[in-house]
Amino acid sequence: MKILIVGGGGREHAIAWKLAQSRKVDKLYCAPGNAGIAEIAECVAIKAEDVAGICSFAKENKINLTVVGPEVPLSLGIVDALAEAGSKAFGPNRKCAQLESSKAFTKGFLARHGIPTAGYKEFTDIDAMKKSVGIFGYPMVIKADGLAAGKGVVIAENEADAVKAIDEIMGEKIFGAAGDKIVVEEFLTGIEASVLCFVDGKTIVPMESAQDYKRIFDGDKGPNTGGMGTYSPSLIFDDVLEGQIRNQILVPTIRGFQKDGLDFKGVLFIGLMISEEGPKVIEFNNRFGDPETQSVLPRMKTDLLDIMNAVVEERLAEQTIEWSDRKAVCVVMASGGYPGDYEKGKLISGLEDVDEDVIVFHSGTKLVKKDDSAAEPGQAVVTDGGRVLGITALGDTHEEARKKAYQNVARISFEGAQYRKDIGLLNPK
Ligand code: AMP
Ligand code: GLY
């Protein structure tokens, strides 16, 4: 089969890495891909958001399945457009994509179907919003309604910070139209976990759990990022918690999709807070998580293409999915300055010194021609984004995987590189 992956980050590298192992995959393309993906797939210079460009490529090249990685093309309706062009795609349609592109849409869904989540209120008027500053006390959780690359959530500790965030999001529109509406939530405490689920419209099947680290600095300090590292499985999961998640969250979610006419097919990413009162939904995303995928897929034993085809063809209930008992830890190396401004084009060295059984997933990287003064001619890998690499190690124990990941991170360097030293440690809120 000919497969096209849309996107060019660590998540797409992990999906490409896993699909490349399938005997049924004859040819793998990625649009636009990155320097790491280029080693296992043919990268084509089409942006992930270029829906028309992707549709023509899929048609012209007789692609059997297009796998959409990031949220933006999904929210633009790429799956609907591909279907109209007669091409199969893995990912939810535009209507379902609102579960990520509008936080208010998801909060309404959760409330309507009695799924545990934080109390909330929506605002579209900046003055009304400011009059309600502190409605749920502090810390105050302030979210831009729309897509903001994982950075649209501010946890304000006091009134001054809350007003500043409201001015930035709703007044200055630092996230553009995503800030036309704000959702304010109760602050939840506990330990976060991510559960990615395959959904075929009728059946929902969770993958192995993971934990993400959203803030930039150790000890969960500093602004939110797209995710600075993950591990899988979550250290706090047991049969009781899994049962609660199934009964209180997964079952009402799939029933809610059916009641609301949401024909969700693809991956539903559920961000959870495991609080003292049980699991509560923090957010839904409509795709594989980044970097969760980099620690979850290396543990999957089943052919990912079989699962994706089962989802698209609504046969998920008959599909077995097997997992390795090994533990995975993924540490993200980011550019200096991220999640704020950062420079690109820094030479990455040490990639060849990584242990053979450690996987280096590329996020923001690019291949460039070495300059003429280089000792050996050829190409070099340089930084090309905020999150640059995800280093994933597997181990028989969580501790072994963690140690191995950090040993290998230490061998890789680029100017300004930053990474958290506490990935894999529990950080209760
Ligand atoms: P979101 O993009 O909605 O997942 O939010 C990003 C991050 O902000 C989450 O992973 C949490 O760490 C934090 N967060 C979001 N909502 C809440 C909440 N209601 N209470 C506490 N922390 C939250
Ligand atoms: N790691 C969080 C996300 O993918 O949104």
Side-chain angles (χ1 to χ4, degrees):
M1 290 184 97
K2 284 170 142 186
I3 311 292
L4 167 65
I5 299 170
V6 176
R11 162 187 45 220
E12 288 75 25
H13 192 179
I15 294 170
W17 173 87
K18 183 69 186 154
L19 285 175
Q21 293 165 23
S22 169
R23 274 200 229 118
K24 293 165 195 142
V25 173
D26 303 307
K27 177 82 192 173
L28 205 50
Y29 294 97
C30 190
N34 62 37
I37 296 173
E39 289 174 19
I40 47 177
E42 183 177 331
C43 293
V44 287
I46 307 173
K47 289 206 173 82
E49 298 79 26
D50 180 359
V51 172
I54 304 257
C55 286
S56 331
F57 181 88
K59 231 179 148 180
E60 277 160 27
N61 293 279
K62 301 196 171 55
I63 297 295
N64 301 99
L65 184 69
T66 299
V67 179
V68 187
E71 60 275 18
V72 173
L74 289 167
S75 72
L76 293 174
I78 192 168
V79 172
D80 315 57
L82 281 161
E84 272 164 37
S87 200
K88 267 199 216 168
F90 179 87
N93 60 28
R94 185 180 191 155
K95 188 173 173 195
C96 296
Q98 290 175 89
L99 290 165
E100 177 162 4
S101 64
S102 167
K103 295 203 183 277
F105 181 87
T106 296
K107 289 304 259 186
F109 175 88
L110 295 169
R112 201 158 50 244
H113 300 291
I115 300 167
T117 188
Y120 78 108
K121 203 162 161 33
E122 313 173 16
F123 294 89
T124 43
D125 177 73
I126 189 163
D127 296 324
M129 171 73 261
K130 283 191 179 169
K131 279 193 198 121
S132 297
V133 160
I135 42 169
F136 295 118
Y138 293 95
M140 181 178 176
V141 181
I142 302 168
K143 301 186 175 184
D145 180 58
L147 295 180
K151 297 166 203 157
V153 176
V154 176
I155 314 274
E157 297 294 338
N158 52 48
E159 186 174 330
D161 288 354
V163 170
K164 182 169 169 270
I166 294 161
D167 278 332
E168 285 175 355
I169 298 173
M170 271 191 146
E172 295 161 33
K173 293 265 159 56
I174 57 167
F175 303 119
D180 288 349
K181 192 185 276 182
I182 273 186
V183 171
V184 178
E185 290 181 9
E186 252 177 332
F187 181 74
L188 299 176
T189 52
I191 294 177
E192 284 186 57
S194 307
V195 177
L196 318 184
C197 307
F198 289 109
V199 184
D200 73 350
K202 299 178 293 193
T203 305
I204 183 163
V205 180
M207 299 181 217
E208 289 278 288
S209 59
Q211 189 184 335
D212 182 19
Y213 292 76
K214 288 260 166 65
R215 306 283 195 109
I216 184 73
F217 300 127
D218 285 15
D220 275 341
K221 302 276 184 328
N224 270 320
T225 68
M228 291 300 291
T230 48
Y231 67 85
S232 174
S234 160
L235 291 172
I236 54 166
F237 267 52
D238 58 19
D239 291 348
V240 174
L241 180 57
E242 281 179 6
Q244 287 174 333
I245 292 171
R246 187 172 52 247
N247 297 331
Q248 297 169 21
I249 296 171
L250 304 188
V251 173
T253 294
I254 192 76
R255 288 201 186 128
F257 284 172
Q258 289 171 328
K259 273 192 204 142
D260 291 0
L262 293 168
D263 186 21
F264 193 106
K265 286 186 197 158
V267 170
L268 179 72
F269 166 134
I270 308 181
L272 294 168
M273 185 69 85
I274 313 303
S275 71
E276 277 181 9
E277 296 153 36
K280 295 192 178 184
V281 174
I282 299 180
E283 62 165 348
F284 276 168
N285 294 321
N286 53 35
R287 46 160 178 91
F288 280 99
D290 192 344
E292 283 85 343
T293 307
Q294 291 90 303
S295 63
V296 171
L297 285 188
R299 301 186 53 231
M300 179 187 272
K301 291 206 232 163
T302 309
D303 184 329
L304 178 59
L305 184 60
D306 284 345
I307 306 172
M308 289 180 159
N309 278 326
V311 165
V312 173
E313 292 160 16
E314 298 179 24
R315 295 184 282 100
L316 185 57
E318 300 152 28
Q319 175 71 44
T320 51
I321 305 181
E322 288 186 318
W323 297 95
S324 156
D325 284 335
R326 303 195 80 202
K327 320 295 175 200
V329 173
C330 170
V331 178
V332 170
M333 299 181 77
S335 297
Y338 175 79
D341 295 336
Y342 53 84
E343 289 176 11
K344 295 182 182 179
K346 308 290 179 196
L347 185 69
I348 304 174
S349 55
L351 290 170
E352 58 292 340
D353 301 327
V354 168
D355 290 336
E356 242 172 53
D357 58 348
V358 164
I359 317 160
V360 178
F361 291 119
H362 290 223
S363 304
T365 66
K366 193 165 87 172
L367 275 176
V368 292
K369 200 170 157 282
K370 281 190 193 164
D371 68 40
D372 296 335
S373 61
E376 286 173 46
Q379 292 187 306
V381 181
V382 299
T383 66
D384 195 40
R387 291 185 292 171
V388 177
L389 300 169
I391 287 70
T392 300
L394 291 157
D396 291 334
T397 63
H398 174 80
E399 212 25 66
E400 186 190 317
R402 182 174 137 71
K403 208 168 136 200
K404 200 168 176 90
Y406 276 109
Q407 275 167 352
N408 282 274
V409 164
R411 296 181 199 155
I412 301 172
S413 58
F414 54 89
E415 193 190 315
Q418 55 167 340
Y419 58 90
R420 280 180 61 158
K421 315 284 183 304
D422 62 349
I423 304 301
L425 302 180
L426 276 182
N427 275 321
K429 293 242 165 56

